[in-house]
């Protein structure tokens, strides 16, 4: 059964209605940690002051530092590489092609028109605050480059399929009449195409829906269908078969029974954020009282309010023998500010730990044994996995895979016939350069060093033990773990050829030496014979 505009609108209404309770939680999280994004349940105007309700900016800065760390630690330099499921059997030409394709994709992703940096920056902070974000990956209007855009979670709703993966996405959208005409041309509804000039900037309620093709129409052979709907007029403006979901929706921490995720940082730190705002308010008030304490004075003595300005004077009616200290007193000298500051600092530490700010630094491995280094690296990996693993595979991985698929189908990598034969029909996967991968590389380095040391000890006892370890394979694996570029390494065939040439050269040199030694012996024998004849 084929779906129509009315059915998709009802489906979207159901998904948005089911999602509405979580908006209040996201609003509270945003007000405490991400005030720029606090418009889930309220309407913000351009002139509103985002953080006027906060007494301290520490929770906001903790979220900012965590969000900024995602790009600075996980998307530096050549932060992704391409490989295949059968990478161990891939020849040198295949590896070189993958490195070339990686460079082509990186240039396309970081092209200024693609807005990749802007979209991921917005997405990183949504991910840190709310545990998820929504970034669309598509070709631009001219189909000559990629386009990335981050969308407000308030306007997104999605549904999981039977296997727990997101397969249906609805996005609310309010373009102007002018925008609809420019984007869809004659495909818009008659009311839109015939709109008066005064209505060109009127917003129209629309939706973009991506859903499995078999749930929409049997005429599409692609996995998904993209549908743009004019909700106001219940009109389908465009429907297109697509090969992917179009939206990258990474989810940090999920719970069973809900398609929406949570940020373990803000969920844990939310009570502390409320507490530190209250503590800061009290400390500010206590500090103000300590510096400018309230005064109590006799009304019968002082005529007017106290003038506490520098050089100010307050007239009083007192007797000559009256001590002014007996008719005026101040409060607030016995302040407990140090105790309050200690409590505030403890809360700051809790918020910092909740945002993993104490776990984002690779431990120092200087002046340590190989075993101590390996243990410190293992400890870092255990602490960093909850942060980096979901981002690498669900966030960066989906971004790279969708981008690669679009570029491949768009011909950015040339003809499929130009691809090395070893790569044809293989699935391409992505690996990422991150502190976690660097730690794994250090672990491989430690394994290689330990293996070499143990092999050296064993060889002194039994030289035949050197045959038990393929040191060339271990060395190449360690270099791969460090992310050494393929063009720095020779292919196995070229290396074997060089080894063979060196062996042949050594044999030739040995033969020359043997001939020279034989000639020397014959010369010595001849000289000895001549000497013997001379003596005889």
């Amino acid at each position: 059964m084929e779906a129509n505009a009315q059915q998709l609108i009802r489906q979207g209404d159901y998904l948005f209605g089911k999602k509405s309770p979580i908006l209040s939680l996201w609003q509270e999280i945003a007000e405490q940690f991400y005030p720029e994004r606090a418009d889930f349940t309220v309407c913000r105007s351009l002139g509103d002051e985002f953080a006027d309700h906060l007494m301290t900016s520490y929770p906001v800065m903790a979220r900012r530092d965590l969000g900024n760390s995602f790009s600075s630690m996980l998307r530096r330099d050549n932060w992704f590489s391409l490989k295949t499921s059968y990478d161990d059997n891939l020849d040198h030409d295949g590896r070189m092609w993958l490195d070339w394709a990686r460079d082509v994709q990186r240039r396309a992703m970081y092209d200024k028109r693609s807005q990749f940096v802007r979209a991921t920056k917005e997405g990183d902070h949504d991910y840190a605050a709310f545990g998820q974000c929504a970034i669309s990956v598509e070709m631009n209007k001219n189909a000559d480059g990629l386009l990335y855009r981050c969308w407000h979670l308030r306007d997104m709703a999605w549904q999981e399929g039977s296997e727990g993966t997101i397969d249906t996405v609805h996005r609310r959208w309010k373009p102007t009449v002018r925008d609809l005409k420019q984007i869809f041309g004659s495909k818009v509804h008659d009311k839109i195409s015939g709109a008066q000039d005064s209505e060109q900037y009127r917003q129209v309620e629309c939706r973009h829906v991506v859903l499995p093709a078999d749930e929409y129409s049997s005429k599409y052979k692609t996995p998904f269908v993209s549908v743009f709907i004019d909700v106001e007029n219940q009109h389908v403006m465009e429907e297109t078969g697509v090969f992917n979901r179009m939206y990258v929706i990474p989810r940090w921490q999920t719970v069973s029974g809900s398609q929406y995720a949570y940020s373990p940082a803000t969920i844990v730190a939310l009570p502390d954020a409320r507490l530190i705002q209250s503590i800061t308010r009290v400390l500010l008030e206590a500090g103000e009282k300590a510096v400018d304490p309230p005064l109590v004075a006799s009304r019968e003595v002082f005529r007017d309010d106290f003038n506490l300005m520098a050089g100010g004077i307050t007239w009083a009616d007192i007797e000559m023998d009256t001590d002014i200290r007996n008719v005026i007193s101040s409060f607030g000298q016995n302040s407990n500010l140090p105790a309050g500051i200690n409590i505030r600092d403890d809360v700051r530490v809790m918020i910092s730990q909740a945002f993993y700010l104490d776990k984002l630094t690779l431990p120092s491995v200087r002046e340590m044994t190989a075993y101590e280094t390996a243990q410190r690296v293992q400890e870092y990996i255990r602490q960093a996995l909850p942060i980096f693993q979901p981002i690498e595979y669900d966030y960066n991985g989906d971004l790279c895979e969708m981008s690669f698929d679009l570029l491949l189908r768009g011909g950015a990598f040339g003809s499929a016939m130009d691809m090395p034969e070893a790569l044809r029909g293989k699935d391409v996967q992505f690996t990422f350069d991150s502190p976690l991968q660097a730690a794994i590389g250090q672990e491989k380095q430690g394994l290689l060093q330990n293996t070499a040391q143990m092999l050296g000890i064993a060889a002194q006892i039994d030289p035949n033990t050197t045959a038990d370890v393929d040191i060339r394979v271990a060395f190449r694996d360690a270099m791969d773990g460090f992310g050494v570029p393929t063009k720095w390494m020779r292919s196995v065939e070229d290396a074997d050829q060089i080894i063979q040439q060196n062996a042949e050269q050594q044999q030739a040199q040995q033969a020359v030496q043997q001939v020279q030694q034989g000639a020397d012996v014959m010369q010595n024998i001849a000289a000895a014979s001549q000497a013997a004849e001379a003596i005889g």
Side-chain angles (χ1 to χ4, degrees), residues 155 171-177 179-180 201-207:
D155 301 323
R171 173 171 63 87
R172 289 189 295 202
W173 185 36
K174 287 188 176 182
T176 63
V177 172
D179 292 336
L180 290 178
Y201 292 96
R202 180 178 66 85
Q203 292 183 329
V204 181
E205 183 181 356
C206 299
R207 284 184 193 169

Side-chain angles (χ1 to χ4, degrees), residues 191-206:
K191 293 183 179 179
I192 301 299
S193 59
Q196 302 295 325
D197 293 341
S198 59
E199 296 183 312
Q200 294 304 306
Y201 292 96
R202 180 178 66 85
Q203 292 183 329
V204 181
E205 183 181 356
C206 299

Side-chain angles (χ1 to χ4, degrees), residues 301-457:
V301 175
F302 293 93
R303 306 178 188 175
D304 302 314
D305 295 334
F306 292 101
N307 188 347
L308 301 180
M309 295 173 55
I313 185 172
T314 300
W315 296 100
D317 186 8
I318 57 177
E319 300 293 338
M320 294 296 297
D321 57 350
T322 301
D323 190 342
I324 193 173
R325 289 175 295 182
N326 295 330
V327 295
I328 184 173
S329 60
S330 62
F331 295 88
Q333 291 87 347
N334 298 324
S335 175
N336 293 319
L337 277 175
I341 292 175
N342 291 336
I343 297 174
R344 183 201 61 186
D345 292 344
D346 290 341
V347 177
R348 283 187 174 182
V349 172
M350 296 298 294
I351 293 176
S352 177
Q353 292 177 352
F355 279 86
Y356 302 97
L357 300 182
D358 59 330
K359 297 179 175 62
L360 295 179
T361 304
L362 185 66
S364 175
V365 293
R366 296 179 180 177
E367 299 180 358
M368 294 185 183
T369 64
Y371 176 79
E372 291 174 336
T373 300
Q375 293 301 309
R376 291 292 298 274
V377 170
Q378 284 290 336
E379 179 184 357
Y380 174 74
I381 292 174
R382 287 193 297 269
Q383 293 180 346
L385 270 176
I387 310 173
F388 296 128
Q389 196 171 42
I391 300 176
E392 284 189 347
Y393 295 100
D394 296 337
Y395 194 168
N396 290 349
D398 284 355
L399 280 173
C400 290
E401 288 176 3
M402 284 193 186
S403 301
F404 180 85
D405 183 66
L406 288 173
L407 292 173
L408 181 64
R409 297 182 185 280
F413 303 123
S415 172
M417 301 305 297
D418 298 333
M419 186 180 298
E421 186 175 356
L423 288 173
R424 298 175 187 175
K426 300 291 180 64
D427 292 331
V428 174
Q429 299 177 349
F430 287 86
T431 58
F432 304 98
D433 183 14
S434 67
L436 180 60
Q437 297 299 328
I440 295 174
Q442 289 186 6
E443 186 179 18
K444 287 187 176 182
Q445 180 192 25
L447 289 174
L448 180 61
Q449 291 175 346
N450 291 338
T451 301
Q453 292 175 1
M454 295 178 64
L455 186 62
I457 296 173

Side-chain angles (χ1 to χ4, degrees), residues 498-514:
I498 292 175
I499 292 173
Q500 183 178 358
Q501 292 174 353
N502 292 337
E504 293 175 353
Q505 186 176 3
Q506 289 178 357
Q507 291 176 358
Q509 291 176 353
Q510 290 176 358
V512 171
Q513 291 176 356
Q514 290 175 358

